[in-house]
Amino acid sequence: MVIMTEDVTKLNYEIAHDWHAEKSALYDWRSQIDSFLKLLSLPLAKVLDVGCGDERDIRTFREKGVNVEGLDYSHTSVEVLKQKFPTGKFYEADMRATGLESESYDGIWACASILNLKKTDVPVALVEFNRILKANGVLFISVKEGEGERMVPDKAGERFFSFYSEEELKRMIESASFQVVHTEVMGDTFSLASQGATLPRWISLYAKKI
């Protein structure tokens, strides 16, 4: 039996949920969340956190009074979120085929999520994002800067990552019927960076559905 890279990556997130949650907490995306929210029509906007993983961004959105729902393909992540936020809505699904209603969200927050897809699969996910976003809906995407795609070892085994340049990401988003509003390249805030580790920078992109 051939084990697909996406299955290995999913298993990594399943069996090492606690480690991923601890590592995720070392990143601070609150500034990007604020920029994202400024593009939305609050307070009535409904946001979907795609690839939500753990509680970090879900909690930040909720603290800001945002109507946020979460989607992840990790069963463990979704079940943990349901326990922590009993009144919340969380979906166990593939971002390429969410099964959610068309034009039902004002914003999609996809922080460090499409980077686990092969580049050939990203357009499929973007078509799905476009479908479930309302007219003029806002899309946020963040990926790691770099070239190519490959399996990357970590403490829990290995995961698949695709890396992008700023221009490459913009072209991909624009080809999926989105208008890019703004991009930014940030240094990695992971704590190991202070210990001399060489880590990729992050590219954040904000766009609107055309």
Side-chain angles (χ1 to χ4, degrees):
M1 181 178 68
V2 178
I3 300 177
M4 304 296 290
T5 56
E6 62 188 72
D7 296 329
V8 173
T9 301
K10 182 177 180 179
L11 180 62
N12 185 303
Y13 284 113
E14 292 282 8
I15 65 177
H17 174 269
D18 291 345
W19 176 70
H20 284 295
E22 292 174 5
K23 182 166 60 67
S24 175
L26 297 175
Y27 289 83
D28 185 359
W29 293 94
R30 287 174 295 181
S31 175
Q32 286 71 36
I33 288 176
D34 287 341
S35 296
F36 171 70
L37 294 179
K38 287 178 181 177
L39 297 174
L40 292 171
S41 299
L42 296 175
L44 300 178
K46 184 166 74 170
V47 169
L48 180 67
D49 185 346
V50 174
C52 52
D54 60 78
E55 66 181 282
R56 184 195 63 202
D57 296 343
I58 292 289
R59 184 174 297 280
T60 299
F61 280 120
R62 289 172 67 96
E63 288 173 350
K64 292 178 177 292
V66 177
N67 179 12
V68 61
E69 299 177 359
L71 180 145
D72 203 281
Y73 71 172
S74 166
H75 176 76
T76 302
S77 294
V78 171
E79 290 305 308
V80 169
L81 285 169
K82 287 180 177 179
Q83 293 175 15
K84 290 186 175 181
F85 305 103
T87 62
K89 292 184 179 180
F90 303 101
Y91 308 98
E92 182 180 340
D94 190 318
M95 71 178 77
R96 294 166 294 185
T98 65
L100 298 173
E101 185 179 349
S102 297
E103 299 185 356
S104 53
Y105 293 94
D106 299 283
I108 289 178
W109 174 262
C111 183
S113 54
I114 71 163
L115 48 66
N116 289 138
L117 292 178
K118 292 183 177 179
K119 293 187 179 183
T120 53
D121 286 336
V122 172
V124 179
L126 293 176
V127 168
E128 180 70 352
F129 292 172
N130 195 294
R131 182 186 69 80
I132 63 177
L133 273 174
K134 296 179 182 178
N136 298 312
V138 178
L139 173 65
F140 172 87
I141 284 180
S142 65
V143 296
K144 291 184 176 182
E145 186 181 51
E147 297 181 355
E149 49 189 17
R150 60 188 179 275
M151 296 299 293
V152 176
D154 60 28
K155 184 177 179 180
E158 59 180 357
R159 287 175 291 161
F160 179 85
F161 282 97
S162 55
F163 299 88
Y164 296 85
S165 68
E166 187 175 2
E167 287 303 315
E168 180 184 14
L169 182 63
K170 288 172 65 176
R171 288 195 302 270
M172 184 173 287
I173 301 304
E174 289 171 344
S175 67
S177 297
F178 287 96
Q179 179 181 3
V180 175
V181 176
H182 174 64
T183 61
E184 57 183 326
V185 181
M186 312 96 68
D188 201 318
T189 58
F190 193 48
S191 61
L192 287 179
S194 63
Q195 301 175 24
T198 301
L199 297 170
R201 297 191 300 173
W202 288 89
I203 303 170
S204 289
L205 180 147
Y206 307 80
K208 285 197 172 187
K209 176 179 175 178
I210 299 175

